Amino acid sequence: EVPVPAWVLADLDPGAILAAKAPHVQRPPASVLKTLTTLALAQRMDPDAIYTTTYDDVAVEGSRVGLVEDATYSVRELFLCLMMQSGNDCASALAHANGGMELTVAQLAEEAPRRQDYDTVARNASGLPAEGQVSSAYDLALIAREGLARPDFFEYVNTRVSEDFPGYMPEQPGDPRS
């Protein structure tokens, strides 16, 4: 007996569902939506690209890693902290670095037919509550399975410590990180 309303236990390699409870019930995804953001954007973004944060990135609600406005971060650093700390500031920064939230949300849905995660509707990159934003335990298992097959995704979700993130922070907004 698992004391949650919905869950899926799947074999990673073949993807076979071993056990489940309410696998297709749509529920607000919260921060687990960040797995979809990581999967969708890691395929599209250069991990070595540098992004300069904006006020909108650092002023998001919810969990944050502490990005500093007008500071530079690599896309790889943003992915790491998106997964390690569930940073909504990192989700915002990645979406903006990718071309904006609207484009990013469209890309989150783009591959659903191939993956068959039909229960998921994303409205933002972080999983913060939004009207109509839902996912299911089944879809999250599909997303995780595809992601864990990618070396970059596997690194992002399995890194436990990042020695220099957020790194040596600038003393003034706009100054480079050293």
Side-chain angles (χ1 to χ4, degrees), residues 117-137:
D117 50 332
Y118 301 121
D119 299 330
T120 301
V121 177
R123 300 286 189 229
N124 59 54
S126 66
L128 280 169
E131 184 73 31
Q133 182 160 264
V134 293
S135 190
S136 69

mmCIF file of all heavy atoms in Angstrom, residues 117-137:
data_model
loop_
_atom_site.group_PDB
_atom_site.id
_atom_site.type_symbol
_atom_site.label_atom_id
_atom_site.label_comp_id
_atom_site.label_asym_id
_atom_site.label_seq_id
_atom_site.Cartn_x
_atom_site.Cartn_y
_atom_site.Cartn_z
ATOM 1 N N ASP A 117 2.865 10.881 -24.104
ATOM 2 C CA ASP A 117 2.487 11.429 -22.801
ATOM 3 C C ASP A 117 1.332 12.410 -23.008
ATOM 4 O O ASP A 117 1.493 13.611 -22.933
ATOM 5 C CB ASP A 117 3.680 12.053 -22.062
ATOM 6 C CG ASP A 117 4.504 13.036 -22.870
ATOM 7 O OD1 ASP A 117 4.557 12.923 -24.092
ATOM 8 O OD2 ASP A 117 5.110 13.920 -22.264
ATOM 9 N N TYR A 118 0.167 11.847 -23.245
ATOM 10 C CA TYR A 118 -1.023 12.618 -23.598
ATOM 11 C C TYR A 118 -1.743 13.247 -22.406
ATOM 12 O O TYR A 118 -2.649 14.052 -22.596
ATOM 13 C CB TYR A 118 -2.009 11.734 -24.365
ATOM 14 C CG TYR A 118 -1.434 11.149 -25.628
ATOM 15 C CD1 TYR A 118 -1.370 9.778 -25.806
ATOM 16 C CD2 TYR A 118 -0.948 11.968 -26.645
ATOM 17 C CE1 TYR A 118 -0.853 9.229 -26.979
ATOM 18 C CE2 TYR A 118 -0.426 11.431 -27.808
ATOM 19 C CZ TYR A 118 -0.384 10.063 -27.962
ATOM 20 O OH TYR A 118 0.138 9.541 -29.111
ATOM 21 N N ASP A 119 -1.358 12.884 -21.200
ATOM 22 C CA ASP A 119 -2.022 13.427 -20.011
ATOM 23 C C ASP A 119 -1.416 14.752 -19.552
ATOM 24 O O ASP A 119 -1.918 15.364 -18.620
ATOM 25 C CB ASP A 119 -1.932 12.436 -18.837
ATOM 26 C CG ASP A 119 -2.594 11.103 -19.129
ATOM 27 O OD1 ASP A 119 -3.564 11.084 -19.906
ATOM 28 O OD2 ASP A 119 -2.127 10.085 -18.586
ATOM 29 N N THR A 120 -0.324 15.183 -20.176
ATOM 30 C CA THR A 120 0.414 16.354 -19.708
ATOM 31 C C THR A 120 0.085 17.592 -20.525
ATOM 32 O O THR A 120 0.133 17.564 -21.751
ATOM 33 C CB THR A 120 1.937 16.091 -19.760
ATOM 34 O OG1 THR A 120 2.216 14.963 -18.925
ATOM 35 C CG2 THR A 120 2.725 17.296 -19.286
ATOM 36 N N VAL A 121 -0.222 18.676 -19.815
ATOM 37 C CA VAL A 121 -0.405 19.999 -20.412
ATOM 38 C C VAL A 121 0.453 20.950 -19.591
ATOM 39 O O VAL A 121 0.217 21.127 -18.399
ATOM 40 C CB VAL A 121 -1.879 20.458 -20.387
ATOM 41 C CG1 VAL A 121 -2.011 21.869 -20.953
ATOM 42 C CG2 VAL A 121 -2.762 19.475 -21.133
ATOM 43 N N ALA A 122 1.463 21.528 -20.236
ATOM 44 C CA ALA A 122 2.353 22.474 -19.550
ATOM 45 C C ALA A 122 1.921 23.900 -19.863
ATOM 46 O O ALA A 122 1.553 24.211 -20.995
ATOM 47 C CB ALA A 122 3.789 22.246 -19.985
ATOM 48 N N ARG A 123 1.985 24.748 -18.868
ATOM 49 C CA ARG A 123 1.692 26.181 -19.030
ATOM 50 C C ARG A 123 2.898 27.051 -18.696
ATOM 51 O O ARG A 123 2.898 28.232 -18.981
ATOM 52 C CB ARG A 123 0.512 26.591 -18.149
ATOM 53 C CG ARG A 123 -0.770 25.852 -18.440
ATOM 54 C CD ARG A 123 -1.383 26.340 -19.725
ATOM 55 N NE ARG A 123 -2.717 25.764 -19.877
ATOM 56 C CZ ARG A 123 -3.138 25.167 -20.985
ATOM 57 N NH1 ARG A 123 -2.349 25.074 -22.031
ATOM 58 N NH2 ARG A 123 -4.349 24.674 -21.040
ATOM 59 N N ASN A 124 3.903 26.457 -18.039
ATOM 60 C CA ASN A 124 5.136 27.168 -17.737
ATOM 61 C C ASN A 124 6.256 26.141 -17.593
ATOM 62 O O ASN A 124 6.008 24.937 -17.647
ATOM 63 C CB ASN A 124 4.987 28.050 -16.489
ATOM 64 C CG ASN A 124 4.611 27.265 -15.257
ATOM 65 O OD1 ASN A 124 5.266 26.295 -14.889
ATOM 66 N ND2 ASN A 124 3.533 27.675 -14.591
ATOM 67 N N ALA A 125 7.476 26.609 -17.426
ATOM 68 C CA ALA A 125 8.638 25.723 -17.376
ATOM 69 C C ALA A 125 8.954 25.202 -15.981
ATOM 70 O O ALA A 125 9.743 24.282 -15.827
ATOM 71 C CB ALA A 125 9.861 26.456 -17.930
ATOM 72 N N SER A 126 8.337 25.773 -14.959
ATOM 73 C CA SER A 126 8.701 25.427 -13.583
ATOM 74 C C SER A 126 7.744 24.482 -12.880
ATOM 75 O O SER A 126 8.112 23.842 -11.905
ATOM 76 C CB SER A 126 8.801 26.700 -12.743
ATOM 77 O OG SER A 126 7.522 27.294 -12.621
ATOM 78 N N GLY A 127 6.503 24.437 -13.342
ATOM 79 C CA GLY A 127 5.494 23.655 -12.634
ATOM 80 C C GLY A 127 4.718 24.460 -11.617
ATOM 81 O O GLY A 127 3.848 23.926 -10.929
ATOM 82 N N LEU A 128 5.011 25.767 -11.511
ATOM 83 C CA LEU A 128 4.206 26.604 -10.624
ATOM 84 C C LEU A 128 2.743 26.501 -11.029
ATOM 85 O O LEU A 128 2.433 26.331 -12.217
ATOM 86 C CB LEU A 128 4.657 28.060 -10.704
ATOM 87 C CG LEU A 128 5.897 28.419 -9.898
ATOM 88 C CD1 LEU A 128 6.399 29.807 -10.271
ATOM 89 C CD2 LEU A 128 5.620 28.333 -8.411
ATOM 90 N N PRO A 129 1.820 26.580 -10.086
ATOM 91 C CA PRO A 129 0.405 26.436 -10.422
ATOM 92 C C PRO A 129 -0.026 27.363 -11.562
ATOM 93 O O PRO A 129 0.320 28.549 -11.581
ATOM 94 C CB PRO A 129 -0.306 26.818 -9.119
ATOM 95 C CG PRO A 129 0.696 26.524 -8.048
ATOM 96 C CD PRO A 129 2.033 26.837 -8.660
ATOM 97 N N ALA A 130 -0.739 26.776 -12.516
ATOM 98 C CA ALA A 130 -1.266 27.534 -13.646
ATOM 99 C C ALA A 130 -2.544 26.843 -14.116
ATOM 100 O O ALA A 130 -2.629 25.608 -14.097
ATOM 101 C CB ALA A 130 -0.257 27.596 -14.781
ATOM 102 N N GLU A 131 -3.514 27.619 -14.501
ATOM 103 C CA GLU A 131 -4.797 27.098 -14.976
ATOM 104 C C GLU A 131 -4.580 26.074 -16.089
ATOM 105 O O GLU A 131 -3.936 26.371 -17.094
ATOM 106 C CB GLU A 131 -5.657 28.254 -15.494
ATOM 107 C CG GLU A 131 -7.044 27.839 -15.921
ATOM 108 C CD GLU A 131 -7.955 27.509 -14.752
ATOM 109 O OE1 GLU A 131 -7.787 28.117 -13.681
ATOM 110 O OE2 GLU A 131 -8.837 26.645 -14.922
ATOM 111 N N GLY A 132 -5.081 24.859 -15.880
ATOM 112 C CA GLY A 132 -5.018 23.824 -16.902
ATOM 113 C C GLY A 132 -3.718 23.048 -16.960
ATOM 114 O O GLY A 132 -3.567 22.147 -17.780
ATOM 115 N N GLN A 133 -2.756 23.356 -16.112
ATOM 116 C CA GLN A 133 -1.472 22.637 -16.130
ATOM 117 C C GLN A 133 -1.618 21.338 -15.340
ATOM 118 O O GLN A 133 -1.902 21.361 -14.144
ATOM 119 C CB GLN A 133 -0.367 23.503 -15.531
ATOM 120 C CG GLN A 133 0.990 22.824 -15.569
ATOM 121 C CD GLN A 133 2.102 23.830 -15.451
ATOM 122 O OE1 GLN A 133 2.630 24.251 -16.453
ATOM 123 N NE2 GLN A 133 2.443 24.233 -14.235
ATOM 124 N N VAL A 134 -1.422 20.211 -16.032
ATOM 125 C CA VAL A 134 -1.610 18.895 -15.421
ATOM 126 C C VAL A 134 -0.603 17.897 -15.993
ATOM 127 O O VAL A 134 -0.020 18.118 -17.051
ATOM 128 C CB VAL A 134 -3.041 18.345 -15.659
ATOM 129 C CG1 VAL A 134 -4.084 19.163 -14.928
ATOM 130 C CG2 VAL A 134 -3.358 18.276 -17.145
ATOM 131 N N SER A 135 -0.449 16.805 -15.285
ATOM 132 C CA SER A 135 0.316 15.663 -15.770
ATOM 133 C C SER A 135 -0.194 14.431 -15.030
ATOM 134 O O SER A 135 -1.087 14.537 -14.186
ATOM 135 C CB SER A 135 1.819 15.853 -15.546
ATOM 136 O OG SER A 135 2.539 14.844 -16.237
ATOM 137 N N SER A 136 0.358 13.293 -15.359
ATOM 138 C CA SER A 136 -0.042 12.052 -14.692
ATOM 139 C C SER A 136 1.204 11.264 -14.308
ATOM 140 O O SER A 136 2.295 11.479 -14.846
ATOM 141 C CB SER A 136 -0.906 11.199 -15.628
ATOM 142 O OG SER A 136 -0.125 10.700 -16.709
ATOM 143 N N ALA A 137 1.025 10.328 -13.408
ATOM 144 C CA ALA A 137 2.132 9.459 -13.006
ATOM 145 C C ALA A 137 2.660 8.688 -14.215
ATOM 146 O O ALA A 137 3.875 8.523 -14.373
ATOM 147 C CB ALA A 137 1.668 8.498 -11.908
#
